Amino acid sequence: MTDIRVGLATDAARYLHTDTLVWFQESLSAPVETQLLGLPPEQRFAAEVAGADAATYPGVYGVFPLELALPGPGGEPRLVPCAGLTWVGVHPDHRRRGVLTAMLRHHFEQVRADPATSVSALHASEPAIYGRYGYGLAALELAVRLSRGATLTSPGLDEEAGTVTTRLSTVTDAGVPQRMRDCHRAHAEAGAVVGAPEYYERVCQQFPEWLRDKEPWRVLFAQRDGADVGFAMFRREQKWEDARPAGRLEVFAVLGTPAARLALLRRLVDFDLVGSVRVRTVGADDPLLHWAGGPRATAGVETYDNLWVRLVDLPRAVAARTWSAACDVVVDVADRHAPWNEGRWRIHADASGAASAERTTAEPDLRLPVEALGSAYLGGGNLVALARAGLVAEARPGAAGELWRALR
C-alpha cells in the first residue's frame, strides 16, 4: 500500500498548480497569494507520496474558517465555528490509491482536535463522493426564474418593504466585502454559512480572465434609516431577440430581512433591457415562491443539493445546537471514517432545548449511519423519510420520529 503523508502545504505555488491541474481551469495571471485569498496558509493541506512530481502535490485540500448558523434559543440562530472543506483535489496520476481517504481522515482529526469546532461542511462538486465519507445532505437550494416585471405579493410586508431603499454598488467598490459580511452575519438564518472577512474579499475578486465580455458582479444593498439590512449580488448578460431587449440577470444570492429581500427582488425584476431573472441559492423554505404565487407562476424552478454537513465530534455537535423538543433515544451510529463516533449513544434532549450524547451499552432504538445525523442536523433532513427509504433502521417503533421532531 502507498505510504501517504498529509500535512501543511508549504509551497503555495505547488498547491495552486495542483488545484489548477485537477480542475483543468485557465491559469490566472494574478499573484499566487492573491488567488489563494481567504484560504489561510495554516488551512492549506497536501498529501505527499514518495516519488511524486515536484511541481504538484498528489492531493490537496483546504479549510475556510466559517460560522454555521444552528438553531438557537427562542428560534434565533446561533453562530458556531465550522470547518468549511474546500479545494479538494487528487492529482490524476494518484487517483484510486487512497489519497482522498487519507486527506479526509486528516481533516476529521484536525477538526476533532480543535475544541471550538465539531462540524465540517461543504458544497459538493460531485455529491456521490462525500456521502461515502459521512457527509449528509442537510439543505436543498432552488434556482428560480422570474420574468421581468414579475409580481411579488406580500400584503403583510408591503409597508415595511416600502421603507427600504436600494443602492447599487460594484463588488470592487471600497468597503463592499465588509458590508456584505456585516449584513450577512447580522441577518443569518438557521443553516446559513458565514465566512471570515477574507472570504468576502475572495467572493468579490474580479480577475481579467473572468470578465471577458462579462459585466462585473454588482451588489444591490437594501437600507433602512441609513443601515444595511440586506443585499443581492448579481450580474447581467446583454441579449437581443428580434431587435428587442432580452437580457438575462443572474442573481447569486439575496440576503437580509424578509422585507429587505422582498424590496431587493422587486428591484431586480425591474431592470431596463432585461427579459428574465434567475435567482440562485434560494432556500427550500424561502418565501420567494409564495410571493411569486407558487412554482407554476414562475418561469421555472430547478432544485440542487446545497450544504452537506458532517458531524466530526458527535457529542460536541449534539450539545452545540438548541433542540426543538424533548427526546431520549439510543442510537447505534456507523462511522468508519471517524471511528471515535462509532457505536451506541444515548441522545437526550430536555424541554429547555439543551441536549447531550453519552456512551451507553443499552439496546439501540435506532441504527443509522453518521450521514443521516448530518442530514438532520440543521433541522431540514427527515429521519422518518430516511427510515421509510431503508437508510435508517428502527428497533423501537417511533424512535426515528422522536429524534426527528427534536431536531426540526
Side-chain angles (χ1 to χ4, degrees):
M1 184 175 178
T2 304
D3 181 21
I4 304 167
R5 303 175 307 282
V6 182
L8 282 175
T10 56
D11 187 332
R14 188 181 178 198
Y15 183 91
L16 181 62
H17 189 188
T18 308
D19 181 78
T20 303
L21 175 66
V22 170
W23 292 88
F24 48 91
Q25 58 199 26
E26 181 179 2
S27 294
L28 304 179
S29 57
V32 169
E33 285 300 334
T34 300
Q35 296 184 55
L36 294 174
L37 178 65
L39 196 61
E42 67 274 14
Q43 296 293 350
R44 304 170 194 166
F45 302 97
E48 289 279 18
V49 176
D53 178 10
T56 56
Y57 288 109
V60 296
Y61 82 87
V63 176
F64 286 132
L66 303 176
E67 292 177 294
L68 178 62
L70 300 181
E76 293 298 317
R78 171 190 291 165
L79 288 168
V80 302
C82 172
L85 185 63
T86 187
W87 284 64
V88 182
V90 177
H91 191 291
D93 289 343
H94 295 275
R95 292 182 68 245
R96 308 204 183 282
R97 297 182 183 179
V99 173
L100 178 59
T101 297
M103 292 196 302
L104 288 182
R105 178 60 181 267
H106 179 269
H107 173 56
F108 300 153
E109 291 171 345
Q110 294 286 307
V111 174
R112 187 188 184 208
D114 181 353
T117 307
S118 60
V119 174
S120 172
L122 58 82
H123 291 97
S125 54
E126 295 189 74
I129 294 174
Y130 292 96
R132 298 200 299 265
Y133 291 95
Y135 287 86
L137 176 55
L140 296 174
E141 72 171 61
L142 309 177
V144 181
R145 295 193 299 276
L146 301 170
S147 301
R148 182 185 177 186
T151 299
L152 302 175
T153 304
S154 178
L157 287 177
D158 278 343
E159 182 176 352
E160 186 179 354
T163 67
V164 175
T165 59
T166 61
R167 178 175 288 270
L168 189 62
S169 300
T170 300
V171 290
T172 52
D173 290 347
V176 165
Q178 186 63 50
R179 289 175 65 191
M180 290 170 63
R181 181 180 189 269
D182 291 344
C183 188
H184 192 186
R185 201 170 191 277
H187 301 291
E189 297 180 340
V193 174
V194 180
E198 295 79 14
Y199 180 84
Y200 293 85
E201 292 176 19
R202 178 179 187 81
V203 169
C204 292
Q205 283 180 316
Q206 297 287 278
F207 297 115
E209 293 87 349
W210 292 355
L211 288 174
R212 297 187 184 111
D213 300 321
K214 292 181 180 178
E215 178 183 33
W217 284 100
R218 309 290 186 186
V219 181
L220 188 66
F221 283 102
Q223 295 186 316
R224 183 185 296 111
D225 299 327
D228 294 332
V229 291
F231 70 86
M233 185 175 174
F234 72 96
R235 84 170 11 145
R236 294 163 293 179
E237 178 186 353
Q238 193 176 91
K239 185 179 178 183
W240 296 79
E241 293 178 352
D242 298 327
R244 296 184 178 89
R248 298 172 181 169
L249 191 150
E250 183 88 359
V251 185
F252 176 70
V254 182
L255 301 167
T257 66
R261 296 205 302 271
L262 178 61
L264 288 165
L265 287 163
R266 284 174 170 171
R267 179 68 187 89
L268 290 167
V269 297
D270 192 37
F271 270 83
D272 291 336
L273 307 179
V274 168
S276 63
V277 177
R278 182 172 182 261
V279 187
R280 295 161 49 191
T281 62
V282 176
D285 295 325
D286 191 279
L288 173 55
L289 289 182
H290 298 291
W291 294 337
R296 286 189 295 165
T298 72
V301 178
E302 306 156 70
T303 304
Y304 301 93
D305 56 297
N306 183 280
L307 198 66
W308 292 74
V309 169
R310 214 292 182 192
L311 306 191
V312 179
D313 189 305
L314 190 150
R316 283 198 283 138
V318 164
R321 56 155 287 172
T322 298
W323 291 56
S324 60
C327 76
D328 194 351
V329 179
V330 175
V331 295
D332 192 354
V333 177
D335 191 351
R336 65 190 184 93
H337 292 289
W340 49 85
N341 287 333
E342 183 102 16
R344 296 178 187 179
W345 299 86
R346 180 192 177 201
I347 297 179
H348 175 78
D350 60 30
S352 72
S356 63
E358 298 177 348
R359 285 288 186 187
T360 182
T361 57
E363 288 299 308
D365 300 315
L366 203 59
R367 292 184 175 88
L368 74 177
V370 71
E371 55 266 30
L373 289 174
S375 177
Y377 187 61
L378 299 181
N382 186 334
L383 290 176
V384 174
L386 292 179
R388 289 174 178 165
L391 301 174
V392 168
E394 279 189 324
R396 171 171 65 83
E402 182 181 342
L403 185 58
W404 176 49
R405 283 190 295 275
L407 282 163
R408 287 172 66 182

